[in-house]
C-alpha cells in the first residue's frame, strides 16, 4: 500500500528488483550545457546557435546557467514564476520541440534552468533546488551558487551554477567560496544529503579565475595564434587544483577555445576601454581569461569489497550502499564538446557550451502511474481520466491530474486540473476514474496530454499518450467560438510578450 500523506522523501522509490545486471543494457543520453554571464543584457532574438537547434542529434536534457541576469526589483529568490525575458524565451524556444522546464531557481542575477524531453519527465524525481549567498558578506545575492538536484532514472545528479568573487588577486577567496557552497548546501534526502553525495555533480558558471603572471601582450599573442596551451599552466583554476583536494576531484576538458572574458560590447574585440579612476583615466585593460567554465565530478569509487563492513551504520553505511549501486547500475560520462560561442556579443562574456554523453543502466523502466483519456473529449460533455498506480509511492490529498497542450512549457502551464482523492488511491490493479468538468475543457480543442503530479514528490510521475480534444460543436453552432480560449493560446500570448 501507499503511504498516506507521506512526507517528501527521496528514498520513497527503490530500483525495480527486476532490473538486475544483465537484464538491461546501458543506454546513452545527451546533455547540452550552457554557462553565460549575460551582463544584464536582454536575450538575443535567436537561440539556435546557443542551443544547437539545428544539430542532427537533439539533447535529452538542457541545463542552462546564467549570471548577471537583470534582477531589477524582483524578489531575492524565485523558483516558480519567472518575470525575466531569458526564462520566457528559453521556454518558448524549447517547448515546441517537446522540452519541459522541470526545475529552475533564481537568486538575484544567478539563474539555473533544467529542461528535459517530455519522454523522460516521469523518470526525473527527487527534485530540489537551493541557493547560497557569498557576495558582500553573504547578505546580498550578487555572488554565490544556485543548484538543482534530482534523480534521473534513479541516478542522483546535481547541477551547481556559481558566480564567484571577481578580480585577479582573489583566487584563494574564489576557492573558499566554492568550498563554502559545497559544505553548506544540503538536501532533504538520506541518499544524497550533500552535493558530494551525488553520483554526478556539474560545477559551472562565471568562476572568475584569471590568467596569472603572463603579460597582456603575451596573452593576446597566444590567443591570436591559437596557442592556448601556452596559457594553461598560469590559469588560476589549474594552479589552485594542485593544492586543493576538492578541486582535484573535478574534471575539465581542455581549454581549446578563446578565453571568454573580457570583450567590448557588440564586438569580438578584447577589452579596449579606458577605465576612470579617482584621479582621471587609467589605460589598464582587463586581461583575457577563461572565467566561464564547466567541470564535472563522478563520485569517487569506494575501496574494494574485502575492505567493506556490511554492518556499518551512519555515513559509512551510505558508502557501502554507494558501492553496491555503482556496481549494479554503472554510470559513465563522456564530454563530446567544450567550446566558447563567439557569435553572441551582447555581453562582455562569451557563452560556453559543453555537450556530454551519459551512459547508464536505468534503475527503473516504468512510471509510477499510468493514465489515459477515456472516450472522446470536447467542451460539450464531462470527460473522464483513467489512471492506475504501477508502483508504491507516497500519495497525498494534494495530488492532481493536469490537462496540458502538447508543447507545454512547465508543470504550471496547465489548461486545467482535477484533484485526485487520496482515499481512491491504492496500490493494486484497479483502474481509477476521475472526471473533468466540460466547463474546464477548451472550446477550440487541440492536441493534449494528461499529467499526474505528485505533491509529495513535487514532480510529474505519469504522462498519457497525446490525444485529440475536439472542437465544441455546440459553441460552433451557436457562434460562440472566441479567438483565444483557455490555455491553448498561451504560446501566442508569450510570443506577443516577447515581441
Amino acid at each position: 500500500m501507499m503511504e498516506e500523506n507521506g512526507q517528501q522523501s527521496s528514498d520513497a522509490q527503490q530500483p525495480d528488483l527486476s532490473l538486475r545486471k544483465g537484464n538491461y543494457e546501458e543506454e546513452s543520453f545527451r546533455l547540452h550545457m550552457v554557462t553565460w554571464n549575460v551582463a544584464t543584457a536582454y536575450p538575443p532574438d535567436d537561440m539556435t546557435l546557443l542551443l544547437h537547434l539545428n544539430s542532427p542529434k537533439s539533447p535529452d536534457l538542457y541545463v542552462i546557467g546564467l549570471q548577471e541576469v537583470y534582477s531589477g526589483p524582483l524578489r531575492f529568490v524565485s523558483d516558480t514564476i519567472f518575470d525575466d525575458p531569458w526564462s520566457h524565451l528559453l521556454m518558448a524556444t524549447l517547448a515546441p520541440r517537446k522540452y519541459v522546464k522541470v526545475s529552475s531557481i533564481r537568486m538575484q542575477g544567478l539563474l539555473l534552468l533544467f529542461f528535459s524531453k517530455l519522454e523522460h519527465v516521469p523518470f526525473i524525481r527527487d527534485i530540489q533546488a537551493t541557493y547560497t549567498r557569498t557576495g558582500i558578506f553573504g547578505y546580498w545575492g550578487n555572488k554565490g551558487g544556485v543548484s538543482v538536484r534530482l534523480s534521473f532514472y534513479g541516478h542522483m545528479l546535481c547541477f551547481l551554477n556559481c558566480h564567484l568573487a571577481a578580480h585577479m588577486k582573489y583566487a584563494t577567496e574564489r576557492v573558499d567560496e566554492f568550498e563554502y557552497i559545497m559544505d553548506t548546501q544540503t538536501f532533504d534526502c538520506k541518499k544524497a544529503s550533500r552535493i558530494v553525495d551525488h553520483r554526478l555533480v556539474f560545477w559551472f558558471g562565471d568562476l572568475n579565475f584569471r590568467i596569472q603572471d603572463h603579460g597582456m601582450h603575451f596573452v593576446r599573442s597566444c590567443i591570436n595564434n591559437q596557442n592556448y596551451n601556452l596559457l594553461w599552466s598560469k590559469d588560476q583554476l589549474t594552479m589552485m587544483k594542485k593544492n586543493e583536494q576538492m578541486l582535484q576531484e573535478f574534471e575539465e576538458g581542455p581549454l581549446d577555445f578563446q578565453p571568454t572574458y573580457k570583450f567590448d560590447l557588440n564586438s569580438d574585440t578584447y577589452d579596449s576601454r579606458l577605465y576612470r579612476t579617482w584621479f582621471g583615466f587609467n589605460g589598464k585593460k582587463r586581461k583575457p581569461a577563461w572565467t566561464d567554465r564547466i567541470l564535472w565530478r563522478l563520485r569517487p569509487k569506494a575501496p574494494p569489497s574485502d575492505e567493506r563492513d556490511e554492518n556499518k551504520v551512519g555515513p559509512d553505511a551510505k558508502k557501502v550502499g554507494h558501492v553496491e549501486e555503482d556496481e549494479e547500475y554503472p554510470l559513465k560520462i563522456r564530454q563530446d564538446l567544450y567550446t566558447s560561442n563567439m557569435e553572441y556579443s551582447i555581453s562582455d562574456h562569451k557563452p560556453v557550451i559543453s555537450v556530454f554523453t551519459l551512459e547508464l543502466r536505468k534503475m527503473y523502466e516504468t512510471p509510477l502511474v499510468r493514465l489515459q483519456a477515456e472516450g472522446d473529449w470536447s467542451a460539450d460533455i464531462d470527460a473522464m481520466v483513467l489512471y492506475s498506480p504501477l508502483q508504491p509511492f507516497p500519495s497525498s490529498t494534494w495530488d492532481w491530474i493536469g490537462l496540458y497542450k502538447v508543447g507545454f512549457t512547465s508543470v504550471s502551464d496547465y489548461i486545467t486540473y482535477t484533484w485526485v482523492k487520496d482515499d481512491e488511491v491504492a496500490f493494486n490493479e484497479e483502474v481509477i476514474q476521475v472526471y473533468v468538468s466540460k466547463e474546464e475543457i477548451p472550446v477550440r480543442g487541440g492536441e493534449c496530454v494528461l499529467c499526474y503530479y505528485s505533491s509529495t514528490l513535487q514532480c510529474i510521475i505519469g504522462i498519457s499518450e497525446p490525444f485529440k480534444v475536439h472542437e465544441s460543436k455546440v459553441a460552433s453552432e451557436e457562434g460562440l467560438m472566441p479567438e483565444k480560449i483557455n490555455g491553448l493560446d498561451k504560446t501566442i500570448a508569450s510570443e506577443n510578450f516577447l515581441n
Side-chain angles (χ1 to χ4, degrees):
M1 294 290 292
M2 295 185 186
E3 302 173 35
E4 272 193 34
N5 302 319
Q7 297 298 310
Q8 181 176 350
S9 170
S10 304
D11 310 295
Q13 304 123 53
Q14 299 299 324
D16 289 356
L17 297 178
S18 60
L19 300 183
R20 308 315 272 170
K21 193 172 181 179
N23 288 5
Y24 288 87
E25 296 299 320
E26 294 174 22
E27 297 185 40
S28 295
F29 301 90
R30 193 170 178 85
L31 165 63
H32 184 107
M33 295 188 66
V34 175
T35 180
W36 193 4
N37 182 322
V38 298
T40 72
Y42 273 77
D45 294 331
D46 190 350
M47 294 278 198
T48 300
L49 293 172
L50 190 71
L51 303 176
H52 290 186
L53 298 180
N54 292 333
S55 171
K57 295 181 179 179
S58 61
D60 296 278
L61 306 171
Y62 278 103
V63 176
I64 296 143
L66 305 177
Q67 306 85 41
E68 292 193 29
V69 174
Y70 175 70
S71 55
L74 292 178
R75 290 176 297 170
F76 178 76
V77 173
S78 174
D79 57 4
T80 51
I81 299 172
F82 286 90
D83 296 321
D84 71 278
W86 286 92
S87 295
H88 279 289
L89 182 58
L90 285 163
M91 288 191 288
T93 301
L94 291 173
R97 296 169 182 265
K98 297 187 179 178
Y99 290 95
V100 177
K101 181 176 74 70
V102 172
S103 184
S104 55
I105 184 166
R106 179 172 180 181
M107 180 187 77
Q108 213 68 0
L110 270 169
L111 174 62
L112 178 56
L113 299 148
F114 182 99
F115 292 87
S116 169
K117 275 186 176 176
L118 182 64
E119 64 196 76
H120 304 307
V121 169
F123 305 98
I124 300 174
R125 305 171 190 167
D126 314 318
I127 305 163
Q128 293 181 49
T130 190
Y131 67 95
T132 302
R133 296 171 286 184
T134 58
I136 309 181
F137 308 106
Y139 291 111
W140 187 249
N142 62 325
K143 295 292 191 297
V146 291
S147 63
V148 169
R149 52 87 62 185
L150 47 85
S151 66
F152 182 68
Y153 291 98
H155 295 266
M156 308 299 289
L157 312 180
C158 185
F159 300 88
L160 173 62
N161 173 24
C162 288
H163 192 184
L164 303 180
H167 304 304
M168 177 71 74
K169 63 183 179 181
Y170 292 122
T172 301
E173 283 78 1
R174 288 188 270 278
V175 175
D176 290 344
E177 287 181 347
F178 168 62
E179 292 183 343
Y180 173 75
I181 293 167
M182 291 286 288
D183 288 341
T184 57
Q185 285 200 359
T186 58
F187 306 97
D188 180 20
C189 172
K190 293 178 183 177
K191 190 176 179 182
S193 57
R194 299 171 65 235
I195 293 176
V196 293
D197 297 328
H198 289 75
R199 191 79 179 274
L200 179 58
V201 178
F202 291 92
W203 172 39
F204 53 103
D206 180 359
L207 308 186
N208 253 323
F209 290 101
R210 309 303 171 99
I211 296 172
Q212 205 164 285
D213 300 332
H214 291 313
M216 178 76 79
H217 178 75
F218 180 77
V219 170
R220 292 199 175 189
S221 175
C222 289
I223 294 170
N224 291 336
N225 295 316
Q226 297 186 6
N227 293 325
Y228 307 127
N229 59 308
L230 299 180
L231 303 174
W232 292 347
S233 64
K234 296 301 181 181
D235 167 70
Q236 288 180 334
L237 180 53
T238 303
M239 296 169 72
M240 299 298 285
K241 266 191 170 189
K242 295 177 182 177
N243 301 316
E244 299 290 339
Q245 183 179 354
M246 178 79 76
L247 296 181
Q248 291 168 10
E249 294 180 359
F250 281 83
E251 298 182 60
E252 184 179 20
L255 297 167
D256 283 329
F257 53 88
Q258 281 187 242
T260 52
Y261 177 83
K262 174 181 172 77
F263 290 86
D264 293 340
L265 292 181
N266 303 308
S267 80
D268 292 336
T269 303
Y270 282 104
D271 191 18
S272 64
R273 296 185 305 166
L274 293 177
Y275 289 89
R276 184 183 292 276
T277 67
W278 289 107
F279 305 104
F281 284 100
N282 184 338
K284 186 176 181 181
K285 304 172 182 64
R286 297 287 188 270
K287 192 162 49 172
W290 287 289
T291 57
D292 310 283
R293 312 285 276 268
I294 299 175
L295 298 91
W296 71 95
R297 173 191 183 269
L298 264 177
R299 192 171 57 207
K301 291 186 177 180
S305 56
D306 56 359
E307 298 180 23
R308 299 180 217 150
D309 181 356
E310 298 295 334
N311 295 319
K312 284 182 177 179
V313 295
D316 290 333
K318 185 187 290 185
K319 291 178 183 177
V320 172
H322 286 167
V323 172
E324 295 171 347
E325 180 181 276
D326 292 354
E327 292 176 350
E328 194 75 22
Y329 303 100
L331 170 64
K332 301 172 187 173
I333 180 171
R334 181 182 74 244
Q335 188 177 49
D336 301 316
L337 178 71
Y338 190 32
T339 189
S340 58
N341 191 316
M342 298 297 293
E343 287 83 0
Y344 294 99
S345 56
I346 58 174
S347 167
D348 55 357
H349 292 250
K350 300 296 183 183
V352 169
I353 296 169
S354 186
V355 177
F356 295 93
T357 295
L358 304 183
E359 293 185 3
L360 57 87
R361 179 172 289 114
K362 296 176 180 177
M363 295 189 189
Y364 35 75
E365 287 274 353
T366 56
L368 296 176
V369 171
R370 178 187 293 127
L371 68 165
Q372 67 184 67
E374 178 69 6
D376 290 336
W377 279 52
S378 79
D380 296 334
I381 188 171
D382 292 346
M384 190 196 310
V385 179
L386 303 181
Y387 74 93
S388 54
L390 301 181
Q391 299 175 49
F393 68 93
S395 63
S396 165
T397 52
W398 299 106
D399 288 0
W400 48 272
I401 294 173
L403 176 67
Y404 293 81
K405 64 179 175 61
V406 170
F408 67 97
T409 60
S410 67
V411 67
S412 60
D413 188 25
Y414 51 80
I415 299 167
T416 186
Y417 63 90
T418 183
W419 296 106
V420 174
K421 294 181 181 177
D422 189 54
D423 58 2
E424 290 182 345
V425 181
F427 181 56
N428 53 39
E429 296 303 316
E430 181 185 1
V431 175
I432 301 146
Q433 300 176 346
V434 176
Y435 286 89
V436 178
S437 169
K438 62 184 180 182
E439 282 78 18
E440 302 293 332
I441 298 174
V443 172
R444 282 195 174 276
E447 289 292 316
C448 295
V449 292
L450 294 163
C451 298
Y452 187 113
Y453 183 83
S454 166
S455 177
T456 304
L457 299 177
Q458 296 188 7
C459 60
I460 291 171
I461 59 175
I463 300 177
S464 74
E465 291 295 321
F467 63 97
K468 175 80 171 175
V469 175
H470 299 284
E471 187 176 280
S472 168
K473 293 180 181 178
V474 173
S476 179
E477 290 171 357
E478 297 183 3
L480 300 176
M481 298 295 285
E483 291 184 10
K484 295 181 181 179
I485 187 71
N486 289 347
L488 286 178
D489 292 286
K490 285 184 179 178
T491 303
I492 297 172
S494 66
E495 287 174 353
N496 290 339
F497 168 81
L498 293 168
N499 293 333

